[in-house]
Amino acid sequence: MTYPTVTVRSLLAVGALALSLTALAVFAALCPAAPFVPTGPTVSFTEYVQPASAASPPFAAILFVPVTWLPVATLKAVVVVGNVLLLALLVRLSWRFAAHRHAPTPVPTPAPVPTPVRFSLPSVPVPVLSWVPVLLCVAVALWLEPVLRTVLFGEIGLALTCVVLWDLTRPDHALGKGFALGVVAGVELAPALFIAYLLLAGRPDAVRAGLTALGSLIGTMLLGALVLPGASLDFWTLRVFETGRAGEGWTTDNQSLQGLFARALHTTEPGVGWAVACVVITFAGLWLARRAVVRKGLETWGILVTALTALLVSPVSWSHHWVWCVPLLAVLLAEGRWRTAAAVALVFAARTFRLVPHEGGAELRLPWWQQPLASPYALLGLVLLAYVAYRCHAPRTRTATRRRATAVAGQLSASNSSASTIR
């Protein structure tokens, strides 16, 4: 029997994670407003009372009934440990997701070219040493604001993102692909945009997965109607259209287009301008996602564009909803865009929207120069959509041209060397 070798790197990784978790515990203890209190709809199988701030379908309350069986202290411990483990799972899924991208037309080369190092996950059982980068990434990712807020406030964003990412990266022919996505859409409505993405992807298997997701979403609605008929009728006919029920959309915690427009226009009701922008971004985002997949073969960016679009057009996208920053950073690193990844990580770690005045409605009186600080995630999402649009329309990047020229030069050099040898 062979045993895994303990290396300096593995010890450093474990130490970094332990230090990060210790710092997180100290931070939660010293900041009175930081420790989470898991909350949710009060639910039983005979009565459903939805708080005014809740915006999830009744199926979500039914799904989380077992949570109410645990004591509060136990529930807090389970949520913290569970979210840290889910972050590790999300890191692994993000690596596999980043390695899933494929170039549509690889450039042929006469001689084998060394493959650049990429973060990827093997299909064989993972040895102990392969967890070293996972532990390091978890230690760092804990301090990204969306992740930190999810852990401290007991949110479920990491769990939902893991399920969606796992389901979307399964092979197209996998049995039941799309079912888990539909269940997640039954818990939070924003991921339903991925169903439209699958239906528009242009591949029969993807369309089949989209129809499966749509069927499971309808199944969650029917289950909610069966268990809580009155609440389901009230939600799907009235409450689903009340976008203000989730909270005050103009606060800096809301990093969607509604929050950006409300703060920029200094009004609590952004009105028609915001609605038109949401419609345009929705159709443009879905079209861009399909174009990224069909024209360029960039399946990862198709999924990321859909996620960014859903976060932008959702009436309320609290900062902890942006845990999609983890797979986004994984894709950027896998593509070798280290500077861009560092800049994106800085945006998600800086917490600039907490630095601007945000008490007593001060968000509605911010000067123009503070607007980018108040809406960093929304502006970053728009910039990334523009970047993908440019990338999809560029006939050939300079990097690809340079690689082809280098390959041709290497071939000519090899030919000249062979000719000299023959002489």
Side-chain angles (χ1 to χ4, degrees):
M1 178 181 295
T2 58
Y3 296 92
T5 304
V6 178
T7 64
V8 175
R9 289 186 300 173
S10 61
L11 291 177
L12 290 177
V14 173
L17 180 59
L19 181 62
S20 182
L21 292 174
T22 302
L24 179 65
V26 173
F27 175 78
L30 295 181
C31 298
F36 67 91
V37 178
T39 59
T42 302
V43 62
S44 69
F45 286 105
T46 58
E47 182 181 3
Y48 173 82
V49 180
Q50 190 176 41
S53 61
S56 299
F59 172 75
I62 299 172
L63 191 64
F64 287 97
V65 164
V67 173
T68 63
W69 301 341
L70 297 176
V72 175
T74 304
L75 178 59
K76 289 183 178 182
V78 169
V79 169
V80 170
V81 175
N83 270 328
V84 173
L85 294 177
L86 285 170
L87 176 59
L89 176 60
L90 181 59
V91 168
R92 290 197 62 196
L93 291 173
S94 298
W95 284 4
R96 186 175 69 181
F97 171 66
H100 185 62
R101 64 187 182 88
H102 302 285
T105 53
V107 179
T109 54
V113 179
T115 304
V117 178
R118 299 186 184 279
F119 294 108
S120 61
L121 294 176
S123 57
V124 298
V126 182
V128 175
L129 189 59
S130 66
W131 282 97
V132 171
V134 175
L135 296 180
L136 289 174
C137 289
V138 170
V140 175
L142 271 174
W143 296 97
L144 298 174
E145 191 276 337
V147 176
L148 180 64
R149 192 175 180 89
T150 298
V151 174
L152 291 181
F153 287 86
E155 301 293 344
I156 61 173
L158 288 172
L160 299 182
T161 305
C162 284
V163 174
V164 172
L165 200 59
W166 169 79
D167 201 8
L168 290 176
T169 54
R170 297 170 67 199
D172 286 337
H173 60 274
L175 179 64
K177 179 176 181 178
F179 180 83
L181 172 62
V183 174
V184 169
V187 176
E188 292 286 346
L189 297 180
L193 195 64
F194 286 104
I195 300 178
Y197 161 76
L198 290 174
L199 295 176
L200 297 173
R203 303 190 309 272
D205 291 335
V207 174
R208 187 182 305 112
L211 293 176
T212 302
L214 182 60
S216 61
L217 172 59
I218 295 175
T220 64
M221 297 169 61
L222 294 177
L223 179 60
L226 179 64
V227 178
L228 300 168
S232 297
L233 180 63
D234 179 67
F235 179 85
W236 292 110
T237 57
L238 295 175
R239 308 305 178 188
V240 70
F241 303 105
E242 298 177 358
T243 58
R245 297 182 71 247
E248 297 172 334
W250 44 267
T251 63
T252 54
D253 288 328
N254 181 21
Q255 291 295 308
S256 69
L257 285 179
Q258 183 185 24
L260 187 153
F261 270 71
R263 291 186 291 270
L265 299 177
H266 307 289
T267 176
T268 58
E269 298 293 338
V272 179
W274 162 67
V276 172
C278 284
V279 173
V280 172
I281 292 296
T282 300
F283 283 97
L286 289 174
W287 173 80
L288 184 59
R290 185 182 187 279
R291 194 172 184 85
V293 174
V294 174
R295 180 170 179 175
K296 294 294 184 179
L298 301 174
E299 297 183 12
T300 52
W301 281 107
I303 294 175
L304 287 177
V305 165
T306 307
L308 293 173
T309 303
L311 290 168
L312 287 171
V313 302
S314 176
V316 173
S317 290
W318 303 125
S319 63
H320 59 80
H321 292 163
W322 288 78
V323 289
W324 277 93
C325 62
V326 176
L328 170 62
L329 289 171
V331 171
L332 292 174
L333 291 175
E335 292 182 348
R337 306 178 189 278
W338 299 94
R339 295 180 180 178
T340 304
V344 171
L346 181 62
V347 171
F348 284 108
R351 300 169 178 82
T352 57
F353 62 91
R354 302 301 298 174
L355 301 178
V356 299
H358 55 273
E359 295 181 357
E363 299 98 323
L364 298 177
R365 300 186 295 271
L366 296 176
W368 65 269
W369 61 272
Q370 288 184 341
Q371 294 295 334
L373 300 177
S375 307
Y377 301 170
L379 293 176
L380 177 63
L382 293 174
V383 170
L384 289 173
L385 292 184
Y387 160 74
V388 178
Y390 168 78
R391 188 170 173 179
C392 288
H393 285 78
R396 181 181 298 169
T397 61
R398 294 181 180 179
T399 302
T401 304
R402 191 181 300 112
R403 288 176 179 173
R404 182 183 290 273
T406 303
V408 172
Q411 183 178 10
L412 292 176
S413 177
S415 300
N416 293 335
S417 299
S418 300
S420 300
T421 303
I422 292 175
R423 293 193 190 98

